Amino acid sequence: MPASEASHFMMLFEILLAVVLGAIIYLFLTKKKEDKLSMGDGWWGKGQKPDSEEDAAIYPFKVETSDGEINYLHRRLDEVRFAEPLEDSRFRYGFNSNYLRKVVAYWRNQFNWKKQVEVLNKFPQFKTKIEGIDVHFLHVKPSHVPEGQSAKPLLMVHGWPGSVYEFYKIIPLLMDPGSHGLSGEHVFEIICPSIPGYGFSEAPHKQGFDSVCAARVFYKLMLRLGFQEFYTQGGDWGSLISTNLAQIAPSHVKGVHLNMATVTTLHFKQLLSITLGRYFPGLFGFEDVDVQRMFPFKTKVLYRILGEGGYFHLHSTKPDTAGCGLNDSPVGLAAYILEKFSTWTNHAFRDLEDGGLEKKFTLDDLLTNIMIYWVSGCIVSSMRFYKENIGKGIGTQKHEKLSVQVPTGIASFPHEVLHMPQSWLQQKYANIVSFSYMARGGHFAAFEEPELLAADILQFVGKVEKGNFAKKLGCGLL
């Protein structure tokens, strides 16, 4: 080869090599940037954000209700107008008004709200202002920490139509697991915030407050409480908020535990598994339990989504319209919310005259959750959270496309509204250290099966802690 051609060839080769290396470096740097979700900032108070520093003080809070509020509720319950249900419809058309009569009678004549307020106030509660709105939270510390241990901070986040009350049964199990027949290897200091717009947290006054904003607010809350590292746990919206928190602050979140996990985009292999996974489960990483819960796909997934998704579409498009009626009517509010505690606990409860509500819960517990929505007047703002998240389009947000690198534990309950197999979730959660097929339970896991959920959280944290210890030990040996 002549020298001139060789020189020309080398020059082209060097250009090509530079382009390839540049592309590799670009992809590497882009990937590094994609490993973390930008936290951003926000202001959700009324009017313009003031120039002065936000008051970071934390104030004690207690639930209080006046006699006037209770008398007004009783009057509204006395004036209720019931609709007649169809014969033998049970809960297939929604909440059956024959059973609703029983619920209202108990609410009016036997339910003791003042007693339940004492129950709500048994755990320390606080408020602090973050991004212009008051954020309500429980902060419960164990009374005794075994020698040689330290309490691990655990942020627990509820969803809709729940509240922090969902966690009242699981909190003692996590603070003192050894006394409740669980492994005492780890104990927790529990922080349970109310999502802004839910319960006793102030509702955002401006449009745009979504799950990423909630995660950022809770991250600021944890830092304000002095926690540089912590675990987080959630189901429903709490699952997404916990996921976003792990994306925002992966170096601060030691682990994320979810009792509901979803993905909003499926790759070709996952899409193919919808048709072939029943026949070739191993090819798609399906366990027998996955096949049992997902197939036939039309019945157990598509029809289930259509049958249970009406509220979702309504909340995501016109939340204020239906919300105004629910905010005005205590009985309408109860029927709307309690129907979810029936069907989402077990889909088969549709076929029962009472919706199976008292199989898993007491009326006192169910009505306490309803009262939190009623006395705070938060039903409209809680429904708006769907529009803020879903109104932008499913699968369009950056956090939906970004993987989670933080150690993840997933408790998959058999009666959850929608089952997601681990092989699907791994495209989103890159570091699943624990995936448990739970023996029983549905959507409201902490409320319904606190012992099972607590045990799974404990074993998950145990695995993460052992893994961290092994990493530290390995680094020390190098």
Side-chain angles (χ1 to χ4, degrees):
M1 180 184 295
S4 60
E5 290 183 13
S7 175
H8 183 63
F9 176 81
M10 286 301 298
M11 185 175 67
L12 289 175
F13 177 77
E14 288 172 0
I15 292 172
L16 180 62
L17 182 62
V19 170
V20 172
L21 289 175
I24 293 172
I25 292 170
Y26 172 80
L27 291 172
F28 176 77
L29 292 176
T30 302
K31 186 178 186 302
K32 292 291 286 185
K33 290 177 183 177
E34 291 291 326
D35 283 344
K36 187 176 178 181
L37 188 65
S38 175
M39 187 169 80
D41 205 355
W43 171 261
W44 309 103
K46 292 183 178 179
Q48 295 295 317
K49 182 179 180 180
D51 295 331
S52 57
E53 282 284 319
E54 187 167 70
D55 181 9
I58 296 172
Y59 302 96
F61 171 82
K62 283 195 173 184
V63 180
E64 295 178 344
T65 308
S66 67
D67 290 338
E69 289 177 285
I70 295 175
N71 292 336
Y72 174 71
L73 170 65
H74 285 172
R75 179 170 68 80
R76 296 299 304 274
L77 296 177
D78 288 337
E79 295 174 351
V80 61
R81 183 175 65 171
F82 290 102
E84 287 298 317
L86 293 172
E87 295 178 4
D88 196 34
S89 60
R90 301 174 190 178
F91 267 59
R92 298 190 195 106
Y93 282 71
F95 204 103
N96 188 290
S97 56
N98 285 337
Y99 182 68
L100 186 59
R101 291 175 186 273
K102 176 186 175 181
V103 173
V104 172
Y106 183 88
W107 196 358
R108 174 63 178 87
N109 301 312
Q110 294 173 262
F111 179 72
N112 188 337
W113 172 236
K114 288 187 176 181
K115 179 182 175 183
Q116 293 306 110
V117 165
E118 293 178 4
V119 173
L120 288 172
N121 287 330
K122 75 177 182 178
F123 293 135
Q125 301 176 69
F126 304 89
K127 281 190 175 184
T128 189
K129 195 169 288 292
I130 302 177
E131 298 189 3
I133 51 177
D134 284 329
V135 177
H136 163 262
F137 62 99
L138 310 179
H139 187 181
V140 194
K141 302 177 183 180
S143 57
H144 172 70
V145 178
E147 188 175 351
Q149 292 189 34
S150 60
K152 295 171 176 59
L154 174 63
L155 177 75
M156 303 191 78
V157 188
H158 67 87
W160 188 92
S163 64
V164 293
Y165 187 61
E166 289 182 68
F167 300 120
Y168 271 58
K169 293 178 182 178
I170 198 173
I171 287 173
L173 306 183
L174 294 170
M175 287 197 307
D176 187 12
S179 297
H180 293 88
L182 300 170
S183 168
E185 185 179 2
H186 304 286
V187 298
F188 297 93
E189 181 174 343
I190 311 292
I191 301 90
C192 297
S194 296
I195 300 170
Y198 288 70
F200 303 109
S201 279
E202 185 178 356
H205 298 275
K206 293 173 173 57
Q207 300 174 47
F209 188 90
D210 59 13
S211 63
V212 176
C213 299
R216 182 180 65 238
V217 166
F218 293 164
Y219 174 54
K220 291 181 178 180
L221 172 64
M222 295 302 281
L223 294 181
R224 188 170 294 183
L225 293 173
F227 300 117
Q228 292 297 317
E229 289 189 323
F230 54 91
Y231 288 91
T232 183
Q233 198 282 330
D236 197 89
W237 284 126
S239 169
L240 181 55
I241 293 170
S242 295
T243 296
N244 294 157
L245 220 166
Q247 293 169 322
I248 287 172
S251 61
H252 294 264
V253 176
K254 297 181 71 175
V256 54
H257 184 278
L258 310 173
N259 57 277
M260 186 187 93
T262 59
V263 291
T264 53
T265 55
L266 295 177
H267 298 156
F268 176 75
K269 185 176 180 180
Q270 283 82 40
L271 290 171
L272 193 62
S273 72
I274 292 173
T275 55
L276 300 180
R278 185 180 187 180
Y279 309 103
F280 307 100
L283 183 64
F284 300 101
F286 288 175
E287 302 290 338
D288 290 342
V289 182
D290 297 319
V291 175
Q292 179 185 351
R293 294 183 185 179
M294 293 174 63
F295 297 98
F297 193 83
K298 182 170 68 173
T299 302
K300 294 190 175 179
V301 179
L302 292 182
Y303 287 176
R304 182 74 59 85
I305 292 173
L306 290 173
E308 292 297 325
Y311 84 98
F312 190 88
H313 182 71
L314 180 64
H315 292 195
S316 302
T317 53
K318 304 291 182 65
D320 285 31
T321 304
C324 287
L326 300 176
N327 189 59
D328 182 63
S329 169
V331 177
L333 179 69
Y336 194 75
I337 288 179
L338 293 183
E339 182 255 310
K340 305 307 180 191
F341 279 88
S342 165
T343 312
W344 293 359
T345 298
N346 190 325
H347 196 246
F349 286 174
R350 296 178 312 148
D351 297 322
L352 302 177
E353 296 288 348
D354 61 357
L357 280 166
E358 293 177 76
K359 286 183 177 294
K360 293 289 187 175
F361 312 105
T362 68
L363 285 180
D364 280 344
D365 281 341
L366 292 170
L367 288 171
T368 297
N369 184 63
I370 298 298
M371 285 294 290
I372 290 174
Y373 277 82
W374 176 254
V375 300
S376 67
C378 74
I379 185 61
V380 176
S381 54
S382 74
M383 292 164 65
R384 286 175 185 156
F385 199 57
Y386 285 79
K387 184 170 179 63
E388 302 296 8
N389 284 285
I390 310 302
K392 300 171 184 176
I394 295 175
T396 63
Q397 301 305 299
K398 182 177 179 180
H399 70 84
E400 296 176 277
K401 304 168 186 176
L402 192 66
S403 65
V404 176
Q405 303 298 321
V406 167
T408 304
I410 296 170
S412 178
F413 284 83
H415 297 297
E416 182 56 84
V417 179
L418 186 62
H419 174 71
M420 287 274 176
Q422 182 175 352
S423 59
W424 285 14
L425 294 170
Q426 280 173 335
Q427 68 179 356
K428 173 77 172 180
Y429 301 93
N431 190 10
I432 297 176
V433 300
S434 170
F435 189 98
S436 305
Y437 294 98
M438 308 304 285
R440 59 187 181 276
H443 186 72
F444 304 98
F447 206 34
E448 179 193 352
E449 297 289 351
E451 293 86 1
L452 285 182
L453 184 60
D456 199 67
I457 293 170
L458 285 162
Q459 66 84 24
F460 162 68
V461 170
K463 288 181 178 178
V464 175
E465 293 292 320
K466 285 184 176 69
N468 289 339
F469 177 76
K471 286 179 183 177
K472 291 177 182 177
L473 187 63
C475 288
L477 292 174
L478 291 176

